[in-house]
Amino acid sequence: AEEEIYTATKWAILGLTRSMGKHETWVKEKVKMVAVCPWLVNTNLVQSALSTSTMGEAEKTKKTSNWVHRLIEPAEVALAVEQAIVSGETGDVITVGPGIVYYYPDIQKMVFV
C-alpha cells in the first residue's frame, strides 16, 4: 500500500495547488500558489532508504543504470523552485526529473533552467 499512498499524496498536492492557485486568489490576496514535484532526490534520507532496501542486486543494477531512476541533486530542485517563483503562474506545477524540468501535465511546456 506504500506506493498507493505515495501516489495519492502526490495527486492531493497537485489538486490543492490547482484549486488554490486560481487567478482570482492571486488578484485578491497576492499569493502565488505553485508546486514543485521532484523525482527521487539525492538526500541522506533517500540514501539511507536505498542502502536498506530489500531489492535484489540485479534489480538495483537494472534500475540505477536507467536514466529515469537517476537521483537528482538538491541544486536541480532549487533551480526549479526559483523558476516557479520567478516565472511560474499561480496554479503551476513543475516536475523535476533527471535532466528534465517541465510544467505538469504539459510536458510540451519545458522549463529551461
Side-chain angles (χ1 to χ4, degrees), residues 45-84:
L45 179 67
V46 169
Q47 289 295 341
S48 175
L50 291 174
S51 69
T52 60
S53 171
T54 58
M55 199 181 326
E57 287 304 316
E59 190 177 356
K60 279 183 186 179
T61 302
K62 180 181 174 185
K63 286 195 175 230
T64 56
S65 64
N66 187 331
W67 76 270
V68 171
H69 294 100
R70 178 181 71 78
L71 297 178
I72 59 175
E73 295 301 319
E76 294 175 85
V77 179
L79 285 171
V81 169
E82 180 181 5
Q83 183 71 24

